[in-house]
Amino acid sequence: HTLADDATLSINTADHALIIIGENSNGRGALFQSSYATGTVVLADPSSIWVNSDTDAKFCVFKSTGTNTVTVKNRIGASRDIRIFVLSV
């Protein structure tokens, strides 16, 4: 999926989820944990470009508490090709 700069993608998950996400344009990826009662947590980000809040110059994966909708937002500054795998229970 190509995500333009400042564009968002919504992902509906179950109450608990692991999200593996990769930015294929430069080969950078991350692992997030998400749950209904909390936001998202960055579990692994070797390239330090992924965050769990809406932050400029980063890839953002975040959600509000009390919802199962996760938002992915590209704030890198240019369009990027991303791939997402969600394991949710």
Side-chain angles (χ1 to χ4, degrees), residues 13-14 16-20 32 34 84-89:
T13 67
H16 304 283
L18 290 176
I19 303 165
I20 302 169
F32 287 83
S34 171
I84 302 168
F85 177 79
V86 178
L87 175 64
S88 59
V89 294

Side-chain angles (χ1 to χ4, degrees), residues 8-59:
T8 61
L9 175 67
S10 295
I11 303 168
N12 293 316
T13 67
D15 287 348
H16 304 283
L18 290 176
I19 303 165
I20 302 169
I21 188 163
E23 185 267 316
N24 292 348
S25 302
N26 293 310
R28 302 175 289 191
L31 174 64
F32 287 83
Q33 183 272 333
S34 171
S35 74
Y36 179 82
T38 64
T40 56
V41 176
V42 182
L43 299 178
D45 175 17
S47 56
S48 300
I49 63 161
W50 300 89
V51 294
N52 63 347
S53 61
D54 192 354
T55 305
D56 195 34
K58 300 285 185 179
F59 280 107

